[in-house]
Amino acid sequence: MNPNLAKLQAYPFSRLNALQKGLRGPDNLAHIALSIGEPKHTPPTFVRDTFIEHFDKLRAYPNTKGIEPLRQAIAHWLCARFQLHAVCPQQQVLPVNGTREALFAFAQTVVTPGARVLIPNPFYQIYEGAALLAGATPYFINCCAENDFKPDFSAVPDSVWRACDLLYLCTPGNPTGALLDEKTLALLIERADQFDFIIASDECYSELYFDETQPPPGLLQICQQLGRSDYRRCVAFHSLSKRSNLPGLRSGFVAGDAQILQKFLLYRTYHGCAMSLPSQYASAAAWQDEQHVQQNRADYREKFAAVLDILSSCMDVSPPQAGFYLWPQVGDGETFARELFQQQNISVLPGSYLAREANGINPGARHVRIALVASTKECIAAAQRLRHFCT
């Protein structure tokens, strides 16, 4: 067995199942799951229709690099969304089976055993597992309220930067919803040049924002502003799961530095992870349409407004800058989650399950993550129960 498997901690939802084991919510209240970030809005019907139209292509093995129409659609979307002058569909774009598997596989490609992988804390658990199974040592950068829940990069010593092979970013952040601004992203690119590491920016929540006039900036966008059209040392990961409510399609892409993507393609060719052809054609259709994405944002705005109106008087909670999570401070997050399930039949995720102790604290311990992914009606009902629970 790979000895690094012993370093992996239980996945957050396995820990939540263990926390709820033997417990039962009130029989008169339907269970409302706000623990998993699984979008429940209706997927666009044209994606289904496109998939069915190309269903017969399941008889063919897909190419790992992806079909030209999909790579063209992604390149066009990137240029339009992030004001990029050019993205080469052949060399700077690579479709992937959802960003979860790609974020994991990427570390196996670019990390030298024994190196450091820098990770925001709290974080998406794939980053840690990818680092450990690549033989690296994770270094956690705390995201606390006093820093607006953004990683305190200034606290990272030069000795750690020098040992770094890979920096994972998550902007908008999971679970905090915090955004890294243009100045911070530019500073990190400068650090990558200085200390020779790669930046992997997980931007899967980038299309869930609240002000239509101010979309969140992306890593490649800052590269463009700095005159780095080769996106050297930088790659960005995007997904249709949140943007288009298509988590089951398992479709995303990675884009950026062509030399890095060439090596990543080699890894993926051996990994055997090509996306099915019907999924690729359906994905191309999704990336070419913005109307359904705008409606998706409108639905989340409505939901957040209603829920925060109910909770603001009874919880220490603020709207996120982007994404679909709330990150309230509740005292002991594990106790809160357990008692909320018992009393109100609502599942939320203890924040400590999404973080690790670093510099003497677990920055998630006093929080829970609430995913507003259910219908507006269910989220309002959950908020009303939460208010009752807290008062």
Side-chain angles (χ1 to χ4, degrees):
M1 286 291 180
N2 184 340
N4 290 323
L5 285 168
K7 300 177 183 178
L8 300 181
Q9 297 196 30
Y11 210 66
F13 303 112
S14 297
R15 297 179 68 182
L16 180 62
N17 290 337
L19 179 71
Q20 295 178 342
K21 186 175 181 179
L23 304 179
R24 184 171 177 173
D27 291 336
N28 64 320
L29 296 176
H31 179 245
I32 301 178
L34 303 179
S35 54
I36 301 178
E38 182 181 63
K40 299 296 184 183
H41 295 177
T42 303
T45 56
F46 69 84
V47 173
R48 177 200 62 195
D49 295 342
T50 304
F51 187 98
I52 294 172
E53 179 185 348
H54 295 276
F55 186 78
D56 65 330
K57 293 183 175 64
L58 285 174
R59 72 184 69 184
Y61 283 119
N63 188 294
T64 305
K65 190 173 182 178
I67 59 174
E68 182 70 13
L70 175 55
R71 286 184 277 112
Q72 288 278 5
I74 291 168
H76 178 79
W77 180 82
L78 279 168
C79 289
R81 168 63 174 83
F82 295 106
Q83 298 88 54
L84 306 181
H85 296 166
V87 173
C88 176
Q90 288 75 33
Q91 296 181 312
Q92 293 178 318
V93 170
L94 188 59
V96 297
N97 276 318
T99 49
R100 175 173 176 165
E101 68 90 1
L103 286 161
F104 174 85
F106 190 72
Q108 318 313 306
T109 303
V110 304
V111 170
T112 304
R116 289 279 198 172
V117 173
L118 275 58
I119 298 172
N121 191 33
F123 57 93
Y124 182 39
Q125 246 59 26
I126 295 302
Y127 311 153
E128 179 191 44
L132 291 171
L133 289 174
T137 301
Y139 182 91
F140 299 106
I141 311 172
N142 289 340
C143 306
C144 301
E146 54 266 29
N147 203 39
D148 296 325
F149 299 110
K150 300 170 187 176
D152 184 5
F153 296 109
S154 65
V156 179
D158 282 358
S159 59
V160 173
W161 288 119
R162 278 193 292 270
C164 176
D165 271 3
L166 176 63
L167 166 64
Y168 278 115
L169 303 179
C170 189
T171 179
N174 172 11
T176 65
L179 293 175
L180 298 182
D181 59 29
E182 296 181 5
K183 182 179 179 180
T184 300
L185 291 171
L187 175 62
L188 293 173
I189 294 170
E190 181 182 315
R191 287 291 176 92
D193 286 344
Q194 180 182 358
F195 294 104
D196 190 22
F197 61 82
I198 294 169
I199 303 175
S201 184
D202 179 355
E203 300 174 7
C204 292
Y205 297 88
S206 70
E207 304 316 288
L208 303 183
Y209 52 91
F210 302 101
D211 184 346
E212 289 291 328
T213 67
Q214 294 187 332
L219 180 65
L220 303 187
Q221 181 179 353
I222 307 309
C223 287
Q224 181 73 74
Q225 292 175 8
L226 296 173
R228 301 166 65 103
S229 57
D230 60 356
Y231 311 116
R232 188 168 67 259
R233 294 191 176 90
C234 295
V235 293
F237 294 74
H238 285 268
S239 170
L240 291 175
S241 295
K242 279 72 177 177
R243 173 189 181 271
S244 300
N245 303 307
L246 292 165
L249 189 63
R250 309 312 303 138
S251 179
F253 69 83
V254 56
D257 187 320
Q259 292 185 7
I260 294 173
L261 291 190
Q262 182 182 31
K263 297 297 185 182
F264 193 33
L265 173 59
L266 174 64
Y267 177 92
R268 296 179 65 76
T269 301
Y270 279 84
H271 186 44
C273 50
M275 191 191 311
S276 76
L277 287 170
S279 295
Q280 291 192 52
Y281 282 101
S283 299
W287 287 116
Q288 292 176 82
D289 181 80
E290 288 297 317
Q291 185 174 351
H292 76 281
V293 188
Q294 293 166 0
Q295 182 59 53
N296 197 34
R297 285 195 289 269
D299 292 342
Y300 278 115
R301 280 195 294 270
E302 176 187 3
K303 193 183 303 186
F304 269 96
V307 167
L308 288 168
D309 183 60
I310 295 168
L311 294 181
S312 58
S313 63
C314 65
M315 292 185 76
D316 183 3
V317 62
S318 302
Q321 290 183 280
F324 54 45
Y325 297 118
L326 292 176
W327 185 241
Q329 184 168 305
V330 295
D332 182 278
E334 197 170 48
T335 299
F336 182 94
R338 182 175 59 248
E339 293 182 355
L340 178 64
F341 178 70
Q342 283 184 291
Q343 296 181 31
Q344 297 295 331
N345 211 5
I346 296 173
S347 293
V348 297
L349 193 64
S352 60
Y353 295 179
L354 297 165
R356 299 289 180 259
E357 184 170 325
N359 296 322
I361 65 167
N362 181 316
R366 298 183 63 79
H367 295 264
V368 293
R369 191 185 76 175
I370 300 175
L372 296 187
V373 292
S375 68
T376 300
K377 180 179 179 181
E378 283 184 297
C379 287
I380 290 173
Q384 291 169 339
R385 291 192 214 172
L386 271 162
R387 182 171 62 184
H388 180 76
F389 174 77
C390 293
T391 56

